C-alpha cells in the first residue's frame, strides 16, 4: 500500500492490495457508509439496478460430510432427514417459472453415490423440459468427480456454487475435520474442474468464523479475484447449537459486527470484480431483518427466494432462525418487489441473469 493514500484514494484505486483491503475492512461510521456507497455506485454503473432471482430448491438434507459448523452434518443425529420426490422438485421448478424467476438453484447435502448422481442428471433434464428450456439452473451439491460434474453440465446445468468457506488452509481445517473427505486441496481442484468444464463457477466464504482475521478475509477477496470466478456468495457465519464449532461461539464477533463485515466484504469485492454475480445470502436476513436489502445496497445483485415445500424447510436446518422459513413463494415475491423498490432496485423477471463477467469473457 502507498502510505500517502487516504481512504478516498483507496476507494478509487483499480487494483486493491491486501493492505488496502484491510484498511477498507476496518472502516467504521462515515467511512463505512462511504465504502458501502462506493460498492453500490460501482454496481449501478456496471450492472444497472437489476436483481436476479434463483428459486432455491433444498433437494435433500442427507449429507456424507461432517463440516464442524453445519447443522446438516452427518454427525448430527437430531436432524430428521428428507429427500424431495421428483414431482416435488419439478413442481417447485414450475412454480419458479410461473413466478417469472428465470432460474432455479438446486442445493443439498453432499452425496456422491450413483443413485444420487443419476437422479440429479434426470432432474436437471426434466427441469430443462419446462417451457423449452427457459429456466437457468444453478447447482450447489458439493464436491463431485469430474465425470459427475460433466454429466450434470451436459444435462443442462450451467452454473455451480461451491464455497471454499475459507481460502486459508489452516483456518479451513479449524472448521472441517482433517481427513480425506474434507480435503482443502480437493475443494480447490473441484473449483478448477468446474471452470474447465465451462460452468459459471461461484465460490464464497463465511464471515465471522472463530479464529478468522482481517488478513484471512482480505486474502479471501484476493482469492476470488485470482480464481477469476463468475459468482460469489458470502454471508455471516451463524453458530448452530448442535455442531462442534458452537463451543467456540464466544470467540466470534457479535452478530452486528459479522453483518457489517459481510457488507464491507461485498462492497470491496464489487470494487474488485465489478461484473460478477453476487448473492445477498439468506444468512444476512437471519441476522438483520433488512440484511438482504443491505447486501443489495452494498453491491450484491442476486437473491435466492426459498421454494422448498413448507413441510421440509425446518429440516434444512443449516443454522438457527433461518429467515423466510414460513413464507409462501407468492408472499415472498410481493415482499421482495416492495423491499427492493424501496431501495431503488427492480427484479429482472423471466431472464437467466447470467454473470456479465462470465458472458463477456465467453464472448456471448
Ligand atoms: N453441501 C453443499 C456444500 O457444502 O457446498 C451445499 C449446501 S451447504 C448447506 C451451503 C452453504 O451453507 C455452505 O457452503 C456454507 O457456507 C453454508 N453454511 C453451513 N453452515 C452454516 C452456518 N452455520 N452459518 C452460515 N452458513 C452456513
Ligand atoms: Fe454437508 Fe454442505 Fe453442510 Fe458441509 S456445509 S455438512 S457438505 S451440507
Amino acid at each position: 500500500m502507498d502510505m500517502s493514500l487516504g481512504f478516498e484514494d483507496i476507494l478509487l484505486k483499480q487494483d486493491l492490495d491486501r493492505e488496502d483491503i484491510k484498511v477498507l475492512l476496518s472502516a467504521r461510521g462515515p467511512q463505512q457508509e462511504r465504502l458501502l456507497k462506493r460498492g453500490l455506485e460501482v454496481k449501478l454503473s456496471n450492472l444497472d439496478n437489476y436483481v436476479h432471482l434463483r428459486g432455491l430448491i433444498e433437494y435433500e438434507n442427507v449429507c456424507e460430510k461432517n463440516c464442524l459448523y453445519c447443522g446438516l452434518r452427518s454427525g448430527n443425529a437430531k436432524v430428521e432427514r428428507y429427500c424431495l420426490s421428483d414431482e416435488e422438485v419439478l413442481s417447485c421448478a414450475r412454480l419458479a417459472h410461473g413466478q417469472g424467476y428465470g432460474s432455479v438453484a438446486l442445493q443439498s447435502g453432499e452425496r456422491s453415490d450413483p443413485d444420487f448422481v443419476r437422479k440429479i442428471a434426470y432432474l436437471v433434464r426434466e427441469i430443462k423440459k419446462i417451457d423449452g428450456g427457459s429456466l437457468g439452473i444453478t447447482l450447489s451439491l458439493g464436491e463431485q468427480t469430474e465425470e459427475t460434474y460433466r454429466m450434470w453440465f451436459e444435462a443442462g446445468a450451467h452454473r455451480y456454487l461451491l464455497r471454499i468457506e475459507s481460502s486459508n488452509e489452516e483456518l479451513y481445517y479449524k472448521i472441517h475435520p482433517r481427513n480425506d473427505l474434507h480435503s482443502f486441496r480437493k475443494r480447490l481442484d473441484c473449483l478448477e474442474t468446474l471452470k474447465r468444464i465451462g460452468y459459471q463457477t461461484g465460490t464464497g466464504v463465511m464471515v465471522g468464523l472463530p479464529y478468522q482475521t482481517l488478513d484471512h478475509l482480505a486474502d479471501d477477496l484476493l482469492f476470488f479475484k485470482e480464481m477469476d470466478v463468475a459468482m460469489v456468495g458470502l454471508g455471516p457465519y451463524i453458530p448452530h447449537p448442535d455442531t462442534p464449532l458452537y463451543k467456540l461461539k464466544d470467540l466470534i464477533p457479535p452478530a452486528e459486527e459479522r453483518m457489517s463485515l459481510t457488507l464491507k466484504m461485498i462492497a470491496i469485492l464489487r470494487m474488485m470484480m465489478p461484473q460478477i454475480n453476487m448473492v445477498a445470502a439468506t444468512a444476512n436476513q437471519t441476522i438483520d431483518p433488512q440484511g438482504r436489502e443491505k447486501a443489495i445496497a452494498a453491491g450484491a445483485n442476486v437473491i435466492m427466494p426459498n421454494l422448498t415445500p413448507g413441510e421440509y424447510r425446518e429440516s434444512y436446518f443449516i443454522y438457527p432462525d433461518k429467515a423466510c422459513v414460513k413464507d409462501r413463494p407468492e408472499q415472498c415475491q410481493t415482499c421482495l418487489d416492495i423491499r427492493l423498490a424501496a431501495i431503488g432496485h427492480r427484479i429482472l423477471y423471466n431472464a437467466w441473469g447470467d454473470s456479465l463477467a462470465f458472458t463477456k469473457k465467453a464472448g456471448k
Side-chain angles (χ1 to χ4, degrees), residues 207-208 235-239 249 252-263 283-284 286-288 294:
V207 178
Y237 161 62
I238 302 175
K249 68 178 188 322
I252 65 171
E256 317 81 74
E257 177 64 15
R258 278 176 280 141
M259 182 71 208
S260 90
L261 263 178
T262 300
L263 296 176
N284 290 307
T286 298
I287 286 198
D288 175 341
K294 287 184 182 169

Side-chain angles (χ1 to χ4, degrees), residues 63 65-67 69-70 72-73 108-110 165:
C63 187
K65 285 190 146 179
N66 227 351
C67 307
Y69 45 84
C70 176
L72 305 191
R73 65 198 304 272
S108 84
E110 196 173 303
E165 314 297 359

Side-chain angles (χ1 to χ4, degrees), residues 285 288-293 296 303 324 327 332-345:
Q285 204 184 351
D288 175 341
Q290 304 292 321
R292 275 197 310 201
E293 291 84 328
I296 294 289
I303 287 182
C324 291
D327 290 2
C332 201
Q333 183 171 1
T334 319
C335 156
L336 270 179
D337 275 323
I338 296 169
R339 282 166 171 249
L340 290 173
I343 54 163
H345 282 70

Side-chain angles (χ1 to χ4, degrees), residues 28-187:
R28 302 206 170 259
Q31 284 195 332
Q32 174 169 336
E33 289 311 308
R34 185 65 196 97
L35 166 61
L36 302 188
K37 238 173 127 188
R38 182 72 191 138
L40 177 62
E41 276 163 23
V42 175
K43 180 182 71 170
L44 293 177
S45 61
N46 281 275
L47 304 174
D48 208 341
N49 64 349
Y50 290 116
V51 172
H52 304 299
L53 300 183
R54 320 279 182 239
L56 176 64
I57 308 172
E58 293 160 334
Y59 173 56
E60 76 166 298
N61 66 357
V62 178
C63 187
E64 289 164 357
K65 285 190 146 179
N66 227 351
C67 307
L68 303 178
Y69 45 84
C70 176
L72 305 191
R73 65 198 304 272
S74 56
N76 183 7
K78 291 192 189 165
V79 189
E80 200 179 316
R81 306 284 169 174
Y82 74 85
C83 178
L84 300 186
S85 69
D86 299 354
E87 186 42 40
E88 282 168 329
V89 172
L90 296 175
S91 75
C92 289
R94 286 192 287 268
L95 182 64
H97 179 56
Q99 305 262 40
Y101 283 9
S103 282
V104 289
L106 205 56
Q107 196 188 70
S108 84
E110 196 173 303
R111 272 180 61 189
S112 51
D113 52 282
D115 284 349
F116 178 80
V117 170
R118 274 194 301 267
K119 175 66 80 178
I120 296 295
Y122 166 78
L123 290 170
V124 169
R125 279 194 299 271
E126 290 301 304
I127 294 172
K128 274 287 160 198
K129 288 182 187 160
I130 297 172
D131 195 20
S134 54
L135 281 173
I137 304 180
T138 305
L139 299 180
S140 177
L141 306 167
E143 293 164 29
Q144 304 290 341
T145 62
E146 176 160 357
E147 194 189 350
T148 297
Y149 284 147
R150 278 194 191 281
M151 184 196 291
W152 293 345
F153 187 73
E154 279 154 21
H158 73 301
R159 295 186 287 243
Y160 205 102
L161 196 55
L162 181 70
R163 284 184 175 181
I164 189 73
E165 314 297 359
S166 167
S167 65
N168 179 284
E169 186 163 0
E170 215 176 296
L171 181 55
Y172 186 88
Y173 285 118
K174 286 197 157 79
I175 61 169
H176 296 94
R178 196 180 270 275
N179 59 31
D180 287 350
L181 194 57
H182 301 82
S183 152
F184 179 71
R185 188 56 31 209
K186 179 164 182 223
R187 207 150 182 99

Side-chain angles (χ1 to χ4, degrees), residues 228-337:
D228 197 15
V229 288
M231 338 184 272
V232 168
L234 52 84
Y237 161 62
I238 302 175
H240 185 307
D242 301 323
T243 62
L245 214 59
Y246 191 73
K247 64 176 184 298
L248 301 180
K249 68 178 188 322
D250 296 333
L251 295 186
I252 65 171
E256 317 81 74
E257 177 64 15
R258 278 176 280 141
M259 182 71 208
S260 90
L261 263 178
T262 300
L263 296 176
K264 288 186 266 188
M265 289 283 283
I266 289 173
I268 300 167
L269 186 60
R270 180 54 75 199
M271 290 163 54
M272 296 168 72
M273 304 184 80
Q275 299 189 333
I276 60 167
N277 273 352
M278 230 192 286
V279 183
T282 310
N284 290 307
Q285 204 184 351
T286 298
I287 286 198
D288 175 341
Q290 304 292 321
R292 275 197 310 201
E293 291 84 328
K294 287 184 182 169
I296 294 289
N301 68 328
V302 173
I303 287 182
M304 298 169 70
N306 197 339
L307 293 181
T308 311
E311 66 264 39
Y312 301 108
R313 285 202 199 168
E314 290 188 21
S315 299
Y316 203 81
F317 188 39
I318 311 174
Y319 46 72
D321 304 321
K322 227 169 99 196
C324 291
V325 163
K326 296 200 162 56
D327 290 2
R328 290 199 315 276
E330 318 79 65
Q331 285 174 322
C332 201
Q333 183 171 1
T334 319
C335 156
L336 270 179
D337 275 323

